[in-house]
Amino acid sequence: MRIAQTTYSTKPRGGVVHTLALAEALAARGHQVTVWTLGRGGDDAFFRPVDPAVEVRVVPFAARDDESVGDRIERSIQTMTAAFDPSGYDVVHAQDCISANAVGPCVRTVHHLDEFTTPRLVECHERAITDPIARLCVSRAVAQEVHDGYGLRPTVIPNGVDSARFARAAGPDGADARTRWRTELGDYVLALGGIEPRKGSIDLLEAFALLCADHPDLRLVLGGGETLFDYRPYRARFDQRCAELGIDPIVLGTLADDDVPALVAAAAVLGFVSTKEGFGLAAMEALAAGVPVVARDLPVTREVFGDAVVYASDVPQIAAALAAALDGAGQDGAAGRELAARHSWTAAAAAHERFYEHVVRAGGDDGQQIDLTDRERARRRSSPAHRG
């Protein structure tokens, strides 16, 4: 099949990581895959090298300092629409709200549901769910939210994870890189994804402050954070609480892709206290590296991680769970590594392939979940209609 994967950014956000890994796994299965994206801030390539088997098309997108979030999103849609030609593809797969609004009839993966207050962004968000010809989610929990809100039943294909990459970072070959991070940062609690409301950053900060009496040398490290949205008011509240609590976190910002596995593997614990997630790729990567994870107690985290992480619902519980992890209690590292290893991009690509076959044949999913089992695929192939 000729497949276009579309995403809104070249930066290392979860949906972009998903887009590239899926594209490479589909190309490895023999498909012709092109990834389309917007080159924000002068970018002409993604945050990491992409397998040469995947074609990359970066559409220039100039920055404008005086632009509101809504104007930036609308201009993003218009820019992608003007550049993208769907005629050369059997499947167009949009991985976010912006590209789903830009590329015409498409498959859409709803990674999570956002909450907007301005009418035009609410409309943009809803069109990106209702207008596609077929829908996917990476967890049953998010698929249920889509059904509850829109009466649609997306098909669920869980994320993959490059578990071998993070396992190597935790092994003998990664020892020097881990030592460099620990020399620079000391012992640290790590959070990835930046400082923003959805990541629960202030809750994690408050919980970390409760640990300091018993762990005075422990540091709080935050990495990542590239986003389209304006979280400056939240960041100001975060900085204010840092001053009030006497906490001086290390904010690394956007990281080089090669630095991430060792940074994760060297952490004492990963704080994954998002208030909303679609799957939890950063937490799955930490488990692959044998690092304990404290996760917000949400339906999606329960679904994806089961007993492999420790759950917490509020600041005192987060602090207690972090303390237990630091003391080596409550998590089975082997179980976490096994869970991560089961989520391969090869399996995810095979499931997407089956989904695409149905969409191409039927013209969409009619708002209903598609059976992707091998048994169903064999039944379709043996049917008189399929044989023609």
Side-chain angles (χ1 to χ4, degrees):
M1 280 182 281
R2 299 164 300 171
I3 302 165
Q5 296 282 339
T6 64
T7 187
Y8 73 102
S9 176
T10 56
K11 308 297 186 183
R13 295 293 286 187
V16 181
V17 172
H18 174 107
T19 302
L20 296 182
L22 176 60
E24 291 169 332
L26 287 166
R29 294 181 64 83
H31 300 288
Q32 298 178 32
V33 185
T34 303
V35 177
W36 287 76
T37 191
L38 295 174
R40 301 180 184 280
D43 283 358
D44 59 5
F46 280 100
F47 67 94
R48 67 163 177 84
V50 180
D51 189 318
V54 175
E55 182 182 0
V56 173
R57 299 288 299 274
V58 180
V59 180
F61 187 82
R64 294 181 184 173
D65 293 337
D66 59 346
E67 194 171 42
S68 70
V69 171
D71 288 342
R72 188 179 308 122
I73 288 176
E74 289 188 356
R75 185 165 63 91
S76 297
I77 294 168
Q78 294 163 3
T79 302
M80 180 67 84
T81 299
F84 182 75
D85 179 4
S87 62
Y89 303 106
D90 302 307
V91 174
V92 176
H93 187 166
Q95 295 285 349
D96 54 80
C97 173
I98 287 172
S99 57
N101 275 274
V103 299
C106 65
V107 171
R108 165 79 199 283
T109 293
V110 183
H111 291 271
H112 64 268
L113 293 181
D114 287 306
E115 296 179 1
F116 296 110
T117 55
T118 59
R120 61 179 177 173
L121 292 184
V122 169
E123 182 183 3
C124 171
H125 181 256
E126 292 189 349
R127 283 199 311 264
I129 296 169
T130 60
D131 287 2
I133 61 172
R135 282 147 289 268
L136 289 164
C137 290
V138 294
S139 62
R140 293 190 305 274
V142 176
Q144 186 63 49
E145 290 182 35
V146 173
H147 178 253
D148 292 344
Y150 300 92
L152 302 165
R153 294 188 180 277
T155 300
V156 176
I157 302 178
N159 255 325
V161 61
D162 190 352
S163 60
R165 183 172 179 241
F166 285 82
R168 284 194 300 273
D173 291 344
D176 289 345
R178 295 196 307 275
T179 298
R180 285 194 295 272
W181 279 119
R182 287 170 180 157
T183 300
E184 178 181 346
L185 304 175
D187 291 330
Y188 57 94
V189 173
L190 177 65
L192 295 174
I195 299 169
E196 58 183 70
R198 187 171 69 85
K199 296 299 180 182
S201 306
I202 292 177
D203 280 356
L204 182 61
L205 174 67
E206 301 271 2
F208 180 82
L210 297 177
L211 297 176
C212 290
D214 294 330
H215 301 274
D217 296 327
L218 191 68
R219 303 298 303 274
L220 176 62
V221 176
L222 301 105
E226 172 64 26
T227 180
L228 280 177
F229 299 102
D230 184 1
Y231 293 130
R232 284 177 294 182
Y234 185 84
R235 176 61 187 270
R237 294 198 301 275
F238 180 90
D239 290 342
Q240 180 181 354
R241 284 303 288 152
C242 287
E244 292 168 351
L245 295 167
I247 304 296
D248 184 21
I250 300 171
V251 181
L252 297 175
T254 301
L255 297 154
D257 187 56
D258 287 343
D259 290 339
V260 174
L263 175 69
V264 172
V269 57
L270 181 81
F272 186 71
V273 297
S274 302
T275 60
K276 184 181 287 290
E277 283 289 343
F279 179 83
L281 188 56
M284 195 65 78
E285 291 168 342
L287 293 180
V291 173
V293 173
V294 172
R296 178 89 63 174
D297 195 350
L298 304 172
V300 64
T301 51
R302 289 280 181 179
E303 171 194 339
V304 173
F305 297 104
D307 296 332
V309 305
V310 173
Y311 297 98
S313 298
D314 56 27
V315 168
Q317 289 181 16
I318 294 169
L322 290 172
L326 292 169
D327 293 337
Q331 295 195 37
D332 181 349
R337 287 189 289 269
E338 291 171 4
L339 176 66
R342 292 199 297 271
H343 285 80
S344 75
W345 283 113
T346 299
H352 278 82
E353 182 181 89
R354 296 193 288 273
F355 184 83
Y356 295 156
E357 287 177 352
H358 177 100
V359 169
V360 169
R361 185 180 65 258
D365 65 1
D366 197 28
Q368 300 300 309
Q369 186 178 41
I370 295 171
D371 187 345
L372 299 181
T373 62
D374 290 330
R375 181 177 180 180
E376 172 64 12
R377 191 182 192 197
R379 185 195 67 76
R380 293 197 309 265
R381 287 189 163 181
S382 65
S383 69
H386 186 84
R387 292 196 301 268

